[in-house]
Amino acid sequence: MMAWLQQWTTGLMATMALTVITAQDSGLPGVERENLGPADIVKKESHPVLFRQKRGWIWNSLYVEEEKPVVTPLKIGRLKSDKSNPGGVFKIEGEGANDIFIVDNKGDLFVTKSLDREKKNAYHLTAMMSDAYGNRIENPGEFVVQVTDINDNTPVFTQSYNGSIEERSRIGKIVVEVKATDADDPTTANAELRYSLTHGDISAFEIDSITGVISCKINTLDRETREEYVVVVKAQDMRGLASGSTATTSVTIKITDINDNIASFTRTKYDLNVPENHKVDETIGILELVDKDEIQNKEPIFTIQNLNSNIFNIEPNHNKDGNLVLKEALDFEKTNSYSFTVRMKENVQTPADNTNAAITSAQVNINVLDVDEPPIFSEDMYSFNVKEEMYVNNIGFIKARDPDRANKTIQFSIMQPDCPIGINRLTGQLYTLRNLDREDKPTHMFQVKAQEEPSGLESVVKVNINVQDVNDNEPELRADDIYICENDESNTIIGTLTATDKDDQPVAFTFSLASENSNFSIRNYGNGTAALIVKQGPFSLDDPKNYKVDVRVSDGGHPSKSSVSTVSVGICQCDPNRNRTYCKPEARRMGVSVHALTAILLCILTILVIVILFAMRKRYQKDSLANMKNSGEIHEQLVTYDEEGGGEMDTNGYDVSILTSACHDGSLLRHQDHRPHPSLYAMVQKPPHHTQPTACKGDMAAMIEVKKDEADHDRDGFPYDTLHIYGYEGPESLAGSLSSLGSSSTGSNLDYDFLNDWGPRFRTLAELYGVDGPDYYHQY
């Protein structure tokens, strides 16, 4: 105790000395520096300063065993301080304070509940001590209550485990590693696990007791014998002691395949029947194999003995069996049977399990069947050469035969109907039907059909006819940009002449003048070109003459072809380097081509037809109008308007007076009396009591047609918004007309002139019924 006190005093003195020195260095008053604690001083120093803090609590290790039943508070320790005070009061704060843990006045610490280490393995608390008046006697101190572990948890496998291993694997090869967990304290034996195999096929596998690694302990695993093993793994804590808790899991181990078995033929002999027309590169039979290994490890290699390997081949199919494929066409007439041996080998891990039992060779017998085959041409494709522009009776022969023993007759035909080549149906001889033109079509391709008689079997072959060129085209002269200058002297070259030829033959063009009297000459260069030369100059732009040169070109072929062309020579003003500055325009002949003349005549004819049709239409309209004027029958046309009138007072809504006029002796008259007239609509509504002349019906219809015609052809006048047509109905009916124009409103002879005395309100009605007589008419 004295030694501890001495150390505490030394630390306190060092702290006080450090406080004074720090205050002097900083220039602060000593009182303020004394208020700084040791921690604040350390923070302000550039280098850390070590100091010792006084401790007043005396701790012992505090432990609580988990899952221990607690009926009454269980004492687990005591809180002690070096400052003894019999009247001191203890308090605790922190995790579980005053709930799980309580303390009495003596400082004894109690636990009130059963604890679970797996939920919480330590509780951090703070202890405080004060006197009876609440004055702190000791500074707060922290302490920890540890929860000790017991073996209350069993091991757990958190997942399922499966493994695999190849057959014939070596001893010790790892299959799979299993792991279990234990929630107990890993630093104690409660969580130390040991593994072992308890059930299943433990004769073939073993497990490492600590790591849980399962490995193979034999080298004779055979998938073909057994494909799967199941073992049971046990995990036990307490280092595997019998008192430890255990858990088990099943592990499935699959044996994977390797190529340790040789494939074997299912038969020692295969008999196949194949028709002779079987297609090349197609399968004619399957040589089946059996292999105990899985399909990915079935890798047979086939070989055919003797020379038959040129005719047949064996290729593996999707099942790794052998497809017997035909490489060359069969011919029953040449060979009607084949026999050969097929051998098979496979690269397997030796020694194979079935070395002595596997069938690795088989005999194959092929019987060729005779069939009626179509004709066979002597060549796969025929090609012939024919000279153009001539008939050829014998171009060549198309040959075909019947491959069968019957040797039937064959007839030939060309499949293209527009082909210029013909063929002899019996001999196959080709000939031309018309002259061929290489420049039009250099090659003719068609198909020839060979057909057996009478079976009708046929074959087709392609034929190419190459048209060979002959010298049948005249050369064409090319002379571009030929002109003479005013100052050109004699022997001046004014241009170059070239030529082209459509024929496909070597040519040697020669140029010459076609006319002797010319002021120009030609110099051949010998390379297919020539120069046009002036004989005598100079020239003048004022000369009205146009210069032209007739040039003859010969191609030098066999037979030789030549042509004469006219070359126009312009005349120009040139600079010293013979570059044109101005050229005299060439006089051109004005003319109209035949096509242009035809178009002009067609246009003129079209215009004449339109004029005639228009005149006929006008005449027809006048004849129709005249006929309508003389017609005594008028039909009524009904016009519907979706408008509502203004009633009796509305005298301006529609002016129907234009539809009426005086009818007197069949003519339209203007009344001489200039008195105010009543509404002529009234005159129409109230006709005279005496019989109306029938001629008025025709005159009114004719008048309407005249007005319509005038309105149609009057371009200066505005069109009428509406046109009311009133006619007379039923002239052919025994009942007579139903129109109000031919009768009064009541059918009586009452005089309605007294309506004029009733005032202005009845003026319109008086006009409708008050005027009696056809004396008033209105000229439109």
Side-chain angles (χ1 to χ4, degrees):
M1 183 67 182
M2 292 301 294
W4 180 85
L5 183 60
Q6 184 177 3
Q7 292 178 357
W8 179 81
T9 304
T10 303
L12 180 61
M13 293 177 65
T15 303
M16 293 176 64
L18 181 61
T19 303
V20 174
I21 293 172
T22 305
Q24 292 175 355
D25 293 340
S26 61
L28 297 175
V31 176
E32 294 180 2
R33 293 297 295 176
E34 289 179 357
N35 293 334
L36 297 175
D40 295 331
I41 296 173
V42 173
K43 292 179 181 178
K44 292 183 176 294
E45 289 294 328
S46 60
H47 300 285
V49 178
L50 301 177
F51 61 91
R52 182 179 180 85
Q53 185 177 4
K54 181 186 74 172
R55 296 189 62 184
W57 294 97
I58 301 174
W59 305 113
N60 291 326
S61 299
L62 301 176
Y63 298 96
V64 178
E65 186 179 87
E66 68 168 335
E67 304 294 345
K68 188 171 184 179
V70 178
V71 180
T72 59
L74 178 64
K75 181 179 178 181
I76 60 175
R78 171 174 287 186
L79 305 179
K80 295 181 181 181
S81 175
D82 56 353
K83 295 182 181 180
S84 177
N85 188 345
V89 178
F90 292 92
K91 294 181 180 180
I92 59 174
E93 294 178 354
E95 298 174 339
N98 303 318
D99 179 18
I100 300 175
F101 302 100
I102 59 175
V103 63
D104 61 7
N105 293 332
K106 296 180 181 180
D108 292 335
L109 186 65
F110 298 88
V111 62
T112 62
K113 297 180 180 180
S114 178
L115 303 181
D116 187 357
R117 191 203 67 83
E118 285 71 38
K119 293 183 179 179
K120 193 171 183 63
N121 59 3
Y123 293 85
H124 296 268
L125 300 170
T126 302
M128 295 172 290
M129 185 174 64
S130 59
D131 57 16
Y133 300 100
N135 297 322
R136 181 181 295 178
I137 298 175
E138 183 65 87
N139 291 328
E142 295 183 355
F143 64 95
V144 179
V145 177
Q146 300 286 343
V147 181
T148 59
D149 184 51
I150 63 173
N151 190 17
D152 60 340
N153 289 281
T154 59
V156 175
F157 289 97
T158 59
Q159 68 180 62
S160 59
Y161 293 92
N162 295 297
S164 63
I165 186 173
E166 288 184 351
E167 59 179 337
R168 293 190 177 190
S169 293
R170 58 178 175 81
I171 298 175
K173 186 173 182 179
I174 296 175
V175 179
V176 66
E177 180 180 1
V178 298
K179 283 290 184 183
T181 59
D182 197 316
D184 292 326
D185 189 355
T187 62
T188 65
N190 296 332
E192 290 190 28
L193 304 180
R194 297 293 183 268
Y195 301 94
S196 61
L197 299 180
T198 58
H199 299 88
D201 303 296
I202 60 177
S203 60
F205 303 96
E206 59 185 0
I207 188 169
D208 188 288
S209 61
I210 297 177
T211 62
V213 174
I214 300 176
S215 59
C216 179
K217 69 177 183 178
I218 60 174
N219 60 356
T220 58
L221 293 175
D222 187 8
R223 188 200 65 85
E224 288 74 34
T225 303
R226 189 171 182 179
E227 295 184 358
E228 184 177 280
Y229 292 82
V230 179
V231 296
V232 178
V233 179
K234 181 179 72 173
Q236 188 171 19
D237 57 15
M238 297 300 292
R239 300 188 181 94
L241 297 178
S243 59
S245 302
T246 62
T248 59
T249 185
S250 297
V251 179
T252 301
I253 302 174
K254 291 186 175 295
I255 309 302
T256 58
D257 185 52
I258 63 172
N259 193 6
D260 59 346
N261 287 276
I262 302 175
S264 176
F265 287 109
T266 57
R267 291 181 290 174
T268 58
K269 185 174 68 171
Y270 294 88
D271 295 323
L272 302 173
N273 293 322
V274 182
E276 63 174 335
N277 61 349
H278 193 88
K279 294 183 179 179
V280 178
D281 295 329
E282 289 191 359
T283 302
I284 61 177
I286 299 177
L287 307 182
E288 297 179 350
L289 300 175
V290 61
D291 193 338
K292 294 182 179 180
D293 294 326
E294 293 181 344
I295 187 67
Q296 67 269 19
N297 292 319
K298 183 179 179 181
E299 299 175 351
I301 301 174
F302 301 94
T303 56
I304 298 177
Q305 304 299 314
N306 61 46
L307 298 178
N308 289 319
S309 59
N310 297 328
I311 304 176
F312 304 98
N313 187 28
I314 300 179
E315 301 173 353
N317 57 21
H318 64 282
N319 291 324
K320 302 295 181 69
D321 294 331
N323 284 347
L324 186 59
V325 179
L326 184 64
K327 294 175 61 178
E328 292 184 2
L330 301 176
D331 189 353
F332 173 82
E333 286 72 27
K334 292 182 178 179
T335 305
N336 56 11
S337 65
Y338 297 89
S339 180
F340 52 88
T341 301
V342 177
R343 297 190 181 277
M344 185 275 303
K345 66 177 181 178
E346 188 175 8
N347 296 324
V348 299
Q349 295 188 7
T350 56
D353 293 342
N354 62 339
T355 302
N356 298 326
I359 302 174
T360 58
S361 64
Q363 183 72 22
V364 178
N365 298 320
I366 296 178
N367 182 30
V368 181
L369 302 178
D370 185 24
V371 295
D372 190 5
E373 298 176 280
I376 298 176
F377 291 96
S378 60
E379 298 182 18
D380 296 333
M381 186 177 69
Y382 291 87
S383 181
F384 301 97
N385 296 324
V386 177
K387 289 186 177 182
E388 66 173 334
E389 301 299 339
M390 62 180 60
Y391 286 96
V392 180
N393 293 326
N394 185 9
I395 299 176
F397 287 89
I398 304 297
K399 297 181 180 180
R401 64 178 180 85
D402 182 8
D404 301 319
R405 293 180 179 178
N407 195 18
K408 297 177 181 179
T409 303
I410 297 176
Q411 291 190 359
F412 301 93
S413 62
I414 295 178
M415 302 184 66
Q416 286 72 21
D418 57 344
C419 182
I421 308 298
I423 190 171
N424 188 298
R425 296 182 60 84
L426 298 178
T427 63
Q429 181 180 359
L430 298 175
Y431 54 89
T432 58
L433 298 176
R434 61 177 180 269
N435 289 345
L436 305 180
D437 187 359
R438 189 200 65 84
E439 288 74 30
D440 180 37
K441 191 173 184 180
T443 302
H444 295 268
M445 300 181 63
F446 54 92
Q447 291 180 322
V448 172
K449 178 176 68 175
Q451 187 173 13
E452 293 182 357
E453 294 295 338
S455 63
L457 294 178
E458 61 184 37
S459 298
V460 177
V461 68
K462 291 183 178 180
V463 180
N464 290 337
I465 302 295
N466 299 315
V467 182
Q468 294 181 333
D469 185 47
V470 297
N471 193 22
D472 60 340
N473 287 279
E474 297 178 352
E476 298 177 2
L477 178 68
R478 293 185 58 185
D480 299 331
D481 202 16
I482 303 235
Y483 61 92
I484 55 177
C485 297
E486 284 186 309
N487 56 354
D488 280 346
E489 301 293 338
S490 299
N491 298 324
T492 300
I493 298 175
I494 64 173
T496 302
L497 305 177
T498 60
T500 59
D501 196 330
K502 295 181 179 180
D503 295 322
D504 187 18
Q505 291 186 355
V507 293
F509 294 115
T510 57
F511 302 87
S512 62
L513 293 176
S515 59
E516 296 296 334
N517 298 326
S518 176
N519 193 24
F520 302 94
S521 63
I522 293 177
R523 180 188 302 166
N524 284 282
Y525 289 140
N527 58 356
T529 62
L532 186 61
I533 303 173
V534 174
K535 287 185 178 180
Q536 185 177 358
F539 303 90
S540 175
L541 290 177
D542 298 331
D543 188 358
K545 182 179 180 181
N546 291 325
Y547 294 93
K548 296 182 182 296
V549 181
D550 293 331
V551 179
R552 178 180 289 108
V553 184
S554 177
D555 59 9
H558 299 284
S560 179
K561 292 288 183 178
S562 62
S563 64
V564 176
S565 302
T566 300
V567 178
S568 296
V569 181
I571 180 169
C572 304
Q573 290 180 349
C574 305
D575 59 13
N577 295 325
R578 208 173 181 278
N579 295 320
R580 290 172 294 182
T581 58
Y582 171 75
C583 291
K584 176 183 176 181
E586 183 180 359
R588 297 182 179 178
R589 292 183 302 173
M590 300 300 293
V592 180
S593 64
V594 176
H595 298 287
L597 185 59
T598 303
I600 294 172
L601 292 177
L602 288 176
C603 292
I604 294 174
L605 181 61
T606 303
I607 294 173
L608 289 176
V609 171
I610 294 174
V611 171
I612 293 172
L613 292 177
F614 183 77
M616 293 176 64
R617 180 178 179 274
K618 294 293 291 181
R619 182 175 181 83
Y620 175 77
Q621 289 179 348
K622 291 181 178 180
D623 293 341
S624 299
L625 185 59
N627 293 332
M628 292 182 65
K629 289 182 178 181
N630 299 325
S631 175
E633 179 181 355
I634 300 177
H635 295 279
E636 181 179 2
Q637 299 182 13
L638 302 180
V639 183
T640 303
Y641 300 91
D642 294 332
E643 302 180 30
E644 185 175 354
E648 295 180 351
M649 300 301 296
D650 185 5
T651 60
N652 298 320
Y654 296 97
D655 186 7
V656 300
S657 62
I658 62 173
L659 299 176
T660 61
S661 60
C663 180
H664 181 69
D665 295 333
S667 62
L668 300 176
L669 301 176
R670 179 183 299 272
H671 199 274
Q672 300 299 326
D673 190 2
H674 298 286
R675 292 179 299 170
H677 299 161
S679 173
L680 293 180
Y681 181 77
M683 294 162 44
V684 175
Q685 292 290 329
K686 188 174 183 296
H689 298 294
H690 56 80
T691 304
Q692 185 176 0
T694 57
C696 291
K697 300 178 182 179
D699 291 345
M700 179 176 288
M703 181 272 294
I704 293 176
E705 291 299 329
V706 171
K707 298 302 181 183
K708 286 174 59 180
D709 187 69
E710 292 177 356
D712 290 341
H713 295 83
D714 187 5
R715 298 184 178 180
D716 297 329
F718 294 98
Y720 294 101
D721 292 336
T722 59
L723 180 61
H724 297 254
I725 301 175
Y726 297 89
Y728 298 89
E729 297 177 349
E732 302 298 331
S733 173
L734 296 177
S737 174
L738 300 178
S739 174
S740 61
L741 299 179
S743 62
S744 63
S745 59
T746 60
S748 66
N749 296 325
L750 295 179
D751 188 6
Y752 294 95
D753 292 340
F754 62 91
L755 295 175
N756 293 320
D757 301 329
W758 287 14
R761 292 181 178 271
F762 295 89
R763 182 175 300 167
T764 302
L765 188 61
E767 291 177 353
L768 292 174
Y769 294 94
V771 178
D772 187 11
D775 297 331
Y776 297 98
Y777 295 92
H778 179 71
Q779 175 67 36
Y780 175 72

